[in-house]
Amino acid sequence: MVSLTADMSPLHPDRNLALELVRATEAAAIRAVPFIGRGDKLAADGAAVDAMRAFLTTVNFDGTIVIGEGEKDEAPMLFNGEKVGNGRGPQCDVAVDPIDGTSLTAAGRQNALSVIAVSDRGTMLDASTVFYMDKLVTGPAGVGVVDIRLPIGENIRLLSKALGKPVDEMVVSVLNRPRHEQLIADIRAAGAGTRLMSDGDVAGGINAARHNARTDMCVGVGGSPEGIVTACAIKALGGHIQGILWPRDDDEKQKGADHGLKTDGYVYEADELVTGRNTIFVATGVTDGQLVAGVSREGDYVYSESVVLRGTSGTLRRIVSEHLTSKWL
């Protein structure tokens, strides 16, 4: 494969595509705003999906959704296998989550995002047949240091040493779920603090990988699609991510195996979740959070904040946009 950095080949995702994709996440986030705090997560998600799909049709790329919101018979959601873009430009695998944190949006809570990730065609692991994945995410200090196969207490101590940070100042993000009761107890027993997330483990993983974030590690079982999306971002941040598929029952385990997935405790490394460095991750805040501010309105303007991460350049860019309210109402 020709390196993007060598010749800026139009066959690969580039910086122009990254900036174009922001329009789609901005649209999804803005359309979800009327549903914030209204208790109807399906309505919020539906509005975001419609907006994202409409904007993606204008983007100059030939995309296939690998990580979507279900199979084709569940349309109008953006479904696995759906073609997006105008068919011209680079051929890409696409992962979408019009709202990562629909429950957060419905409840009016923080850290809901609209997310798109892309990579070269054929480079994203299609883990759609196994819904959950056990994940371990850290920043660059964790590379070659922590390992998901180790007890969480040992990983905390190893990362603490690598960071030069006392264990009692370490903070670990975990989804607040009954399945994590023992994990949370073990983190606290090791002397670290926890940041319990009600939803939105994409933001949790990215925040753990950023050098100036409030958390040091993100662990636990969350969605496997979110794991692939997070991996695209981690490529740009130079961080560490590992994943183990977590089938809910024997039928799902077999379905995953039939799909070519390794469902017997195999540890997927970053380069197996998403191969190569030609990754783009774009997120726009729906509600306020650590990563980005949520959409807000002031007079005739709607304000949004987005981040764009590119694996080839290792950059994180923030985009703050002003939108005329008259164009959206």
Side-chain angles (χ1 to χ4, degrees), residues 197-210:
M197 305 177 292
S198 57
D199 280 291
D201 58 336
V202 171
I206 295 171
N207 282 325
R210 293 168 55 218

PDB file of all heavy atoms in Angstrom, residues 197-210:
ATOM      1  N   MET A 197     -18.855   5.722  34.187  1.00  0.00           N
ATOM      2  CA  MET A 197     -19.567   6.281  33.044  1.00  0.00           C
ATOM      3  C   MET A 197     -20.920   5.596  32.904  1.00  0.00           C
ATOM      4  O   MET A 197     -21.010   4.365  32.955  1.00  0.00           O
ATOM      5  CB  MET A 197     -18.760   6.077  31.760  1.00  0.00           C
ATOM      6  CG  MET A 197     -17.346   6.611  31.799  1.00  0.00           C
ATOM      7  SD  MET A 197     -16.423   6.253  30.270  1.00  0.00           S
ATOM      8  CE  MET A 197     -16.272   4.458  30.373  1.00  0.00           C
ATOM      9  N   SER A 198     -21.970   6.377  32.708  1.00  0.00           N
ATOM     10  CA  SER A 198     -23.280   5.770  32.490  1.00  0.00           C
ATOM     11  C   SER A 198     -23.413   5.255  31.064  1.00  0.00           C
ATOM     12  O   SER A 198     -24.110   4.271  30.811  1.00  0.00           O
ATOM     13  CB  SER A 198     -24.398   6.775  32.793  1.00  0.00           C
ATOM     14  OG  SER A 198     -24.260   7.941  32.001  1.00  0.00           O
ATOM     15  N   ASP A 199     -22.743   5.882  30.128  1.00  0.00           N
ATOM     16  CA  ASP A 199     -22.709   5.479  28.718  1.00  0.00           C
ATOM     17  C   ASP A 199     -21.532   6.188  28.069  1.00  0.00           C
ATOM     18  O   ASP A 199     -20.832   6.960  28.707  1.00  0.00           O
ATOM     19  CB  ASP A 199     -24.011   5.856  27.983  1.00  0.00           C
ATOM     20  CG  ASP A 199     -25.149   4.896  28.233  1.00  0.00           C
ATOM     21  OD1 ASP A 199     -25.067   3.745  27.765  1.00  0.00           O
ATOM     22  OD2 ASP A 199     -26.121   5.290  28.905  1.00  0.00           O
ATOM     23  N   GLY A 200     -21.345   5.940  26.763  1.00  0.00           N
ATOM     24  CA  GLY A 200     -20.368   6.712  26.010  1.00  0.00           C
ATOM     25  C   GLY A 200     -18.929   6.303  26.222  1.00  0.00           C
ATOM     26  O   GLY A 200     -18.081   7.129  26.579  1.00  0.00           O
ATOM     27  N   ASP A 201     -18.621   5.004  25.973  1.00  0.00           N
ATOM     28  CA  ASP A 201     -17.241   4.583  26.236  1.00  0.00           C
ATOM     29  C   ASP A 201     -16.279   4.961  25.118  1.00  0.00           C
ATOM     30  O   ASP A 201     -15.078   4.794  25.280  1.00  0.00           O
ATOM     31  CB  ASP A 201     -17.157   3.091  26.565  1.00  0.00           C
ATOM     32  CG  ASP A 201     -17.691   2.165  25.506  1.00  0.00           C
ATOM     33  OD1 ASP A 201     -18.532   2.594  24.704  1.00  0.00           O
ATOM     34  OD2 ASP A 201     -17.268   1.006  25.488  1.00  0.00           O
ATOM     35  N   VAL A 202     -16.746   5.502  23.988  1.00  0.00           N
ATOM     36  CA  VAL A 202     -15.819   6.058  22.998  1.00  0.00           C
ATOM     37  C   VAL A 202     -15.115   7.269  23.599  1.00  0.00           C
ATOM     38  O   VAL A 202     -13.887   7.373  23.575  1.00  0.00           O
ATOM     39  CB  VAL A 202     -16.548   6.444  21.695  1.00  0.00           C
ATOM     40  CG1 VAL A 202     -15.602   7.219  20.773  1.00  0.00           C
ATOM     41  CG2 VAL A 202     -17.047   5.202  20.968  1.00  0.00           C
ATOM     42  N   ALA A 203     -15.896   8.185  24.160  1.00  0.00           N
ATOM     43  CA  ALA A 203     -15.302   9.359  24.812  1.00  0.00           C
ATOM     44  C   ALA A 203     -14.410   8.934  25.966  1.00  0.00           C
ATOM     45  O   ALA A 203     -13.337   9.511  26.184  1.00  0.00           O
ATOM     46  CB  ALA A 203     -16.403  10.295  25.300  1.00  0.00           C
ATOM     47  N   GLY A 204     -14.828   7.903  26.710  1.00  0.00           N
ATOM     48  CA  GLY A 204     -14.018   7.428  27.824  1.00  0.00           C
ATOM     49  C   GLY A 204     -12.661   6.935  27.380  1.00  0.00           C
ATOM     50  O   GLY A 204     -11.638   7.235  28.009  1.00  0.00           O
ATOM     51  N   GLY A 205     -12.632   6.175  26.285  1.00  0.00           N
ATOM     52  CA  GLY A 205     -11.370   5.665  25.772  1.00  0.00           C
ATOM     53  C   GLY A 205     -10.460   6.763  25.262  1.00  0.00           C
ATOM     54  O   GLY A 205      -9.254   6.774  25.540  1.00  0.00           O
ATOM     55  N   ILE A 206     -11.026   7.706  24.529  1.00  0.00           N
ATOM     56  CA  ILE A 206     -10.221   8.797  23.979  1.00  0.00           C
ATOM     57  C   ILE A 206      -9.677   9.675  25.096  1.00  0.00           C
ATOM     58  O   ILE A 206      -8.507  10.084  25.084  1.00  0.00           O
ATOM     59  CB  ILE A 206     -11.038   9.619  22.979  1.00  0.00           C
ATOM     60  CG1 ILE A 206     -11.389   8.760  21.765  1.00  0.00           C
ATOM     61  CG2 ILE A 206     -10.268  10.866  22.525  1.00  0.00           C
ATOM     62  CD1 ILE A 206     -12.373   9.392  20.828  1.00  0.00           C
ATOM     63  N   ASN A 207     -10.510   9.968  26.079  1.00  0.00           N
ATOM     64  CA  ASN A 207     -10.041  10.796  27.187  1.00  0.00           C
ATOM     65  C   ASN A 207      -8.897  10.129  27.944  1.00  0.00           C
ATOM     66  O   ASN A 207      -7.981  10.797  28.415  1.00  0.00           O
ATOM     67  CB  ASN A 207     -11.203  11.101  28.141  1.00  0.00           C
ATOM     68  CG  ASN A 207     -12.117  12.186  27.602  1.00  0.00           C
ATOM     69  OD1 ASN A 207     -11.662  13.109  26.947  1.00  0.00           O
ATOM     70  ND2 ASN A 207     -13.406  12.071  27.868  1.00  0.00           N
ATOM     71  N   ALA A 208      -8.941   8.798  28.049  1.00  0.00           N
ATOM     72  CA  ALA A 208      -7.862   8.086  28.731  1.00  0.00           C
ATOM     73  C   ALA A 208      -6.564   8.136  27.944  1.00  0.00           C
ATOM     74  O   ALA A 208      -5.476   8.024  28.518  1.00  0.00           O
ATOM     75  CB  ALA A 208      -8.263   6.634  28.976  1.00  0.00           C
ATOM     76  N   ALA A 209      -6.651   8.280  26.628  1.00  0.00           N
ATOM     77  CA  ALA A 209      -5.462   8.263  25.778  1.00  0.00           C
ATOM     78  C   ALA A 209      -4.855   9.642  25.558  1.00  0.00           C
ATOM     79  O   ALA A 209      -3.717   9.743  25.094  1.00  0.00           O
ATOM     80  CB  ALA A 209      -5.804   7.643  24.422  1.00  0.00           C
ATOM     81  N   ARG A 210      -5.576  10.689  25.896  1.00  0.00           N
ATOM     82  CA  ARG A 210      -5.055  12.045  25.712  1.00  0.00           C
ATOM     83  C   ARG A 210      -4.057  12.398  26.808  1.00  0.00           C
ATOM     84  O   ARG A 210      -4.233  12.009  27.966  1.00  0.00           O
ATOM     85  CB  ARG A 210      -6.202  13.052  25.709  1.00  0.00           C
ATOM     86  CG  ARG A 210      -7.129  12.926  24.520  1.00  0.00           C
ATOM     87  CD  ARG A 210      -8.398  13.748  24.713  1.00  0.00           C
ATOM     88  NE  ARG A 210      -8.087  15.140  24.988  1.00  0.00           N
ATOM     89  CZ  ARG A 210      -8.781  15.893  25.851  1.00  0.00           C
ATOM     90  NH1 ARG A 210      -9.781  15.379  26.549  1.00  0.00           N
ATOM     91  NH2 ARG A 210      -8.464  17.156  26.039  1.00  0.00           N
TER      92      ARG A 210
END
